[in-house]
């Protein structure tokens, strides 16, 4: 799976790690969503997201011709879910959230 940095992650890499990821608006670079996941969680938003605003933004930017992808900020070992959660919370606190 490719992320916004251009790096491609193998399924085995994502299977064995937790990670923190963001989605940014490709028009202005503003971070619009911060999440924590494993497996293919970050890419699941491209098909359907429970976050209506993120889903609408992704679909709108795709219709405008943008290649929208998540950005994996940091991988954590399988035992690092707590550390991933802490980073997610710090980033949400810094960037804010609408809900």
């Amino acid at each position: 799976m490719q992320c916004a940095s251009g790096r491609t992650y193998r399924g085995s890499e994502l299977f064995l790690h937790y990670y923190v990821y963001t989605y940014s608006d490709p028009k202005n670079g503003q971070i619009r969503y911060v999440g924590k996941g494993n497996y293919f969680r970050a890419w699941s938003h491209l098909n359907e997201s429970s976050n209506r605003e993120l889903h609408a933004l992704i679909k709108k930017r795709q219709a405008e011709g943008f290649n929208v992808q998540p950005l994996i900020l940091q991988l954590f070992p399988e035992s690092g879910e707590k550390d991933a959660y802490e980073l997610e919370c710090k980033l949400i606190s810094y960037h804010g959230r609408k809900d």
Side-chain angles (χ1 to χ4, degrees), residues 81-94:
E81 183 176 16
K82 181 178 180 256
D83 294 330
Y85 177 75
E86 288 175 3
L87 178 57
E88 177 193 33
C89 289
K90 286 179 187 176
L91 291 171
I92 289 171
S93 178
Y94 179 78

Side-chain angles (χ1 to χ4, degrees), residues 6 33 53 97:
Y33 184 85
E53 285 192 39
R97 65 189 294 168

Side-chain angles (χ1 to χ4, degrees), residues 30-71:
Q30 180 184 13
I31 292 177
R32 300 293 299 269
Y33 184 85
V34 176
K36 171 192 74 75
N38 60 352
Y39 305 109
F40 300 111
R41 170 69 177 133
W43 289 270
S44 69
H45 299 285
L46 296 173
N47 298 320
E48 189 172 336
S49 178
S50 59
N51 183 306
R52 287 188 206 173
E53 285 192 39
L54 177 62
H55 185 72
L57 175 68
I58 289 171
K59 294 305 172 197
K60 181 177 182 180
R61 295 301 183 246
Q62 287 174 333
E64 294 170 346
F66 288 96
N67 179 18
V68 181
Q69 295 293 330
L71 176 63

Side-chain angles (χ1 to χ4, degrees), residues 8-22:
T8 300
Y9 289 89
R10 296 182 322 273
S12 59
E13 241 180 325
L14 300 173
F15 180 75
L16 297 172
H17 295 87
Y18 283 94
Y19 53 83
V20 175
Y21 64 98
T22 61

